[in-house]
Amino acid sequence: MEKIAITVLLTFGLCVIVVSSEIDVNLLHEISEKNATAAEIINSSLVELVEEIRGSTPSSTTTTTTTTSTPPPPVNDQELLIPPATVNANIAQMHNQPKKHGPIVFSSEPDCPSLENADELSQTQLLHTLTHGCRYDRLERPVHYGENNTRLPVDVYARAYIYFIQNLEAHDLQFKIHALLQMRYVDPRLVFREVAPNRHESIMGEASLRQSLWVPHVFLANERSSSILGTAEKDILTSISPDGTVIVSTRIQAQLYCWMNLQKFPFDEQRCQTILESWMYNTSELVLHWEQKSPVTLAPELHLTEYVMLNMWTNETMINADLSDLRHGAFAGNYSSLTFTIHLAREMGFYLMDYFIPSMMIVAISWVSFWLQADQSAPRIMLGTSTMLTFITLASAQGKTLPKVSYIKASEVWFLACTGFIFGSLVEFAFVNTIWRRKKNVELKKVNSKYILKSTLTPRPTRKEIGTNLQKSHSCSSLDGQSNTTTVPSYNNYLTVHSFSNNKSNLPTITTQSCDDLTQENGNAVITVEPDSSSTLRGNTPSPQPVNSGWTTMTPQEISMWIDRRSRFLFPCAFIVFNIFYWSFVYAL
């Protein structure tokens, strides 16, 4: 019984000590050792007490009397052990806490670990101590004070390293980049140079370290989508220097919009931007800056297949947001912004080999019809329609990669011009084929383009009447001086020649003209006969030649062939002139 009383007193004393408000760590360790000793004493006392109780059991019990010679069943000491649950729980909690120096307050408020002897702490313990809730709030930005105790904005310095740039997609007006985005700022709450003077290494960590710190929220203003790269874990690297400088590096991939101007496509040059802006804090709280040295760096192996990079530059601007602008969560103010722009020029090799040279060849093939006779309708129609359809297919395949814009692009000007040349060859064939099938000849005053086209378009032109009541005779006088007979107007000139002497050397030279241009005498046309120098015809005195030039008659077939011959020269020359103006425009302007 004395042992039971001692055990009860020890337990009561232990409970009183644990309930006290402040306990020294060394004392707790001593109490824990004493508690272990007390538990052993309690266990041994309980075992002895059970044995005594069993020995003092009356023998009147039948079951006990019959089994006195049999050894008692084994007793499980763990079932009989009744440790104080409250004491064990507090001791376990104390052992799970990291080792700290200085008093620890057990209360409803969170404990605030001391920074004494910080050199002896591990990196995790030091970080936990620095970012404890009693001295660090990750929802509040670092506070810097200037003159007159005024709050200064946080200066955040950014740097970008570009791994990869995908070619601009003209139909979506976007491009894709893979980059390392690094931000640097100073947080005075994380300075451990004074409390741990012997620790010169920075505290390094990944995403878990970043989650325990305040990090400026910077977003891509022109992004379509973005994500952080990484396989098992996100590629985030966080570093805290002894002077409180925090560097956060993140590998990201982003699809960014680039508002392209395609008026000179495919000879265009594009300027695509990557815009970084502060999301939550305006310029009075946070200001973004580019690093002074190498703010944006391109990977040496970076190569663009469709573009060539001409230039690259950075810029620091300020974005003004009002209450009507939801760009920054409907918070009005001026927000800091960083921009780096790349100037790209499109490579012409692909479009030259797959679009311009084939289209030139297709246009040239359409000119082959000028060497075919006008009555060969089947081959000329087949050649013209096939070249037209081929070029339309070529142009439509190229146009599918472009967005539908309201303005005219340079490629569309080329497409319209080439289509016009091919269509012109078809129209020329229809024109000459129509002329070829005419039955009557065409009278021409002169054999040149003006009169041929004029007479061709109007095959029976109205002629001027010489007199009011005079009908023109288209039968000219005979050589024996007989008068002309008035006949029904005809459009064919003919000459009646009487017999001459057998001396062919004395034949006169006879020149005939259209009756419209001959000199009229008493209503009769006069024919001019140029006699030989040795003789005259029947004593007629030769009259002088008229001043007007003679008319020429051309058959429809001759006119068709004349137009084809001129087209062989006109169409190529016109196409060359168009190319001179076109390529001068796209390169000079």
Side-chain angles (χ1 to χ4, degrees):
M1 297 299 292
E2 293 178 356
K3 293 181 180 180
I4 294 174
I6 293 173
T7 301
V8 172
L9 290 176
L10 289 174
T11 304
F12 178 78
L14 181 61
C15 293
V16 171
I17 294 173
V18 170
V19 172
S20 61
S21 60
E22 295 184 357
I23 303 175
D24 193 2
V25 176
N26 297 328
L27 181 61
L28 288 176
H29 286 290
E30 294 176 1
I31 293 174
S32 63
E33 295 175 357
K34 292 180 180 180
N35 187 31
T37 305
E40 295 177 357
I41 295 174
I42 291 173
N43 292 336
S44 60
S45 299
L46 289 176
V47 171
E48 294 177 358
L49 180 61
V50 170
E51 292 178 354
E52 291 179 358
I53 293 174
R54 288 177 179 177
S56 60
T57 303
S59 58
S60 60
T61 304
T62 307
T63 305
T64 306
T65 305
T66 56
T67 58
T68 52
S69 60
T70 305
V75 179
N76 190 357
D77 296 340
Q78 298 296 330
E79 295 178 357
L80 301 177
L81 181 61
I82 308 177
T86 304
V87 174
N88 289 342
N90 289 337
I91 292 174
Q93 182 179 3
M94 180 192 69
H95 284 292
N96 290 334
Q97 294 290 335
K99 184 178 180 181
K100 303 180 180 67
H101 295 273
I104 301 177
V105 179
F106 286 84
S107 62
S108 60
E109 297 295 331
D111 57 341
C112 188
S114 174
L115 288 173
E116 296 180 0
N117 299 326
D119 287 328
E120 300 178 2
L121 299 178
S122 64
Q123 179 173 289
T124 303
Q125 292 174 336
L126 178 60
L127 178 64
H128 177 74
T129 304
L130 292 173
T131 59
H132 197 276
C134 63
R135 60 173 59 90
Y136 189 88
D137 187 0
R138 66 181 302 270
L139 298 180
E140 294 183 0
R141 71 172 184 87
V143 180
H144 299 268
Y145 293 97
E147 298 179 357
N148 300 327
N149 202 23
T150 57
R151 289 167 58 98
L152 299 177
V154 181
D155 292 322
V156 179
Y157 296 88
R159 174 182 287 132
Y161 183 85
I162 309 300
Y163 297 104
F164 168 76
I165 298 179
Q166 190 181 25
N167 287 328
L168 297 180
E169 298 178 4
H171 58 283
D172 290 333
L173 300 177
Q174 66 181 12
F175 67 102
K176 185 177 181 180
I177 64 170
H178 290 184
L180 173 67
L181 182 61
Q182 186 181 92
M183 292 183 292
R184 177 177 63 88
Y185 61 95
V186 177
D187 194 341
R189 299 170 295 180
L190 300 177
V191 177
F192 60 89
R193 180 172 51 192
E194 298 178 357
V195 297
N198 296 328
R199 186 185 294 270
H200 303 288
E201 298 82 6
S202 300
I203 299 177
M204 306 289 291
E206 296 184 357
S208 58
L209 176 57
R210 182 182 183 276
Q211 293 174 359
S212 62
L213 303 177
W214 177 90
V215 178
H217 189 172
V218 176
F219 72 101
L220 294 168
N222 61 329
E223 71 169 339
R224 180 182 180 182
S225 62
S226 63
S227 60
I228 300 176
L229 297 175
T231 53
E233 294 184 3
K234 299 299 182 181
D235 295 340
I236 301 175
L237 178 61
T238 308
S239 171
I240 305 175
S241 301
D243 59 352
T245 300
V246 180
I247 299 177
V248 180
S249 302
T250 308
R251 291 182 67 243
I252 63 172
Q253 66 174 358
Q255 289 184 347
L256 306 176
Y257 287 108
C258 180
W259 308 115
M260 305 171 66
N261 185 1
L262 300 173
Q263 286 184 340
K264 294 182 64 177
F265 177 87
F267 312 94
D268 55 328
E269 296 181 2
Q270 305 298 336
R271 292 171 176 83
C272 296
Q273 296 181 337
T274 301
I275 305 174
L276 301 171
E277 294 183 11
S278 173
W279 169 253
M280 181 176 179
Y281 298 100
N282 55 27
T283 53
S284 63
E285 301 289 335
L286 185 145
V287 179
L288 297 175
H289 305 277
W290 285 113
E291 292 282 3
Q292 296 295 328
K293 183 179 180 181
S294 301
V296 179
T297 307
L298 300 178
E301 63 275 8
L302 180 62
H303 176 68
L304 299 175
T305 57
E306 189 176 350
Y307 293 87
V308 58
M309 185 174 297
L310 301 179
N311 196 3
M312 180 182 63
W313 62 88
T314 59
N315 190 22
E316 299 179 7
T317 57
M318 183 178 61
I319 305 299
N320 180 266
D322 52 17
L323 296 178
S324 62
D325 185 8
L326 298 179
R327 186 185 184 94
H328 296 275
F331 290 102
N334 298 324
Y335 292 84
S336 183
S337 174
L338 298 179
T339 304
F340 75 87
T341 306
I342 53 177
H343 184 193
L344 303 175
R346 194 182 301 271
E347 292 281 3
M348 273 298 301
F350 171 78
Y351 296 95
L352 189 64
M353 298 300 298
D354 287 18
Y355 182 65
F356 286 100
I357 293 180
S359 60
M360 291 179 184
M361 297 176 65
I362 292 173
V363 173
I365 290 174
S366 67
W367 300 336
V368 176
S369 63
F370 301 149
W371 274 263
L372 299 177
Q373 197 165 319
D375 62 340
Q376 297 179 355
S377 301
R380 296 190 70 164
I381 291 175
M382 184 188 67
L383 184 61
T385 54
S386 60
T387 52
M388 175 66 76
L389 295 177
T390 304
F391 182 75
I392 291 176
T393 304
L394 176 66
S396 61
Q398 187 269 338
K400 290 180 180 179
T401 61
L402 298 177
K404 298 177 177 62
V405 295
S406 59
Y407 48 82
I408 298 177
K409 301 183 288 292
S411 60
E412 294 174 344
V413 174
W414 178 267
F415 167 74
L416 293 176
C418 293
T419 305
F421 279 100
I422 298 175
F423 182 75
S425 65
L426 288 173
V427 172
E428 190 271 347
F429 161 69
F431 184 63
V432 298
N433 184 262
T434 302
I435 297 174
W436 183 279
R437 289 184 285 106
R438 289 179 182 176
K439 301 299 182 181
K440 296 182 179 181
N441 298 337
V442 178
E443 296 179 356
L444 303 174
K445 188 175 182 180
K446 291 182 179 180
V447 183
N448 56 26
S449 303
K450 175 182 177 181
Y451 290 100
I452 290 178
L453 294 177
K454 182 178 179 180
S455 301
T456 303
L457 296 175
T458 57
R460 293 185 179 183
T462 303
R463 301 188 178 182
K464 297 181 180 180
E465 296 182 357
I466 299 177
T468 304
N469 299 322
L470 179 63
Q471 285 187 334
K472 293 182 294 182
S473 175
H474 292 268
S475 176
C476 298
S477 301
S478 61
L479 294 178
D480 56 357
Q482 295 179 356
S483 62
N484 295 332
T485 59
T486 304
T487 60
V488 179
S490 174
Y491 295 96
N492 293 324
N493 299 328
Y494 61 90
L495 176 66
T496 302
V497 180
H498 293 270
S499 61
F500 293 93
S501 61
N502 294 329
N503 188 4
K504 297 182 180 181
S505 61
N506 297 326
L507 289 178
T509 302
I510 302 172
T511 302
T512 62
Q513 294 180 340
S514 175
C515 296
D516 295 339
D517 297 332
L518 293 177
T519 306
Q520 300 293 329
E521 295 181 358
N522 297 326
N524 295 327
V526 178
I527 186 169
T528 303
V529 180
E530 296 180 0
D532 187 68
S533 58
S534 59
S535 63
T536 59
L537 182 60
R538 293 190 179 182
N540 292 335
T541 304
S543 60
Q545 293 184 359
V547 179
N548 296 334
S549 61
W551 284 65
T552 303
T553 300
M554 294 184 67
T555 63
Q557 292 75 19
E558 292 175 344
I559 295 176
S560 299
M561 290 186 293
W562 183 90
I563 294 176
D564 279 339
R565 286 194 298 268
R566 296 303 184 272
S567 299
R568 297 171 192 172
F569 174 78
L570 180 63
F571 274 74
C573 290
F575 191 67
I576 292 174
V577 171
F578 164 73
N579 275 267
I580 293 174
F581 281 101
Y582 181 82
W583 297 102
S584 299
F585 168 77
V586 297
Y587 280 110
L589 299 181

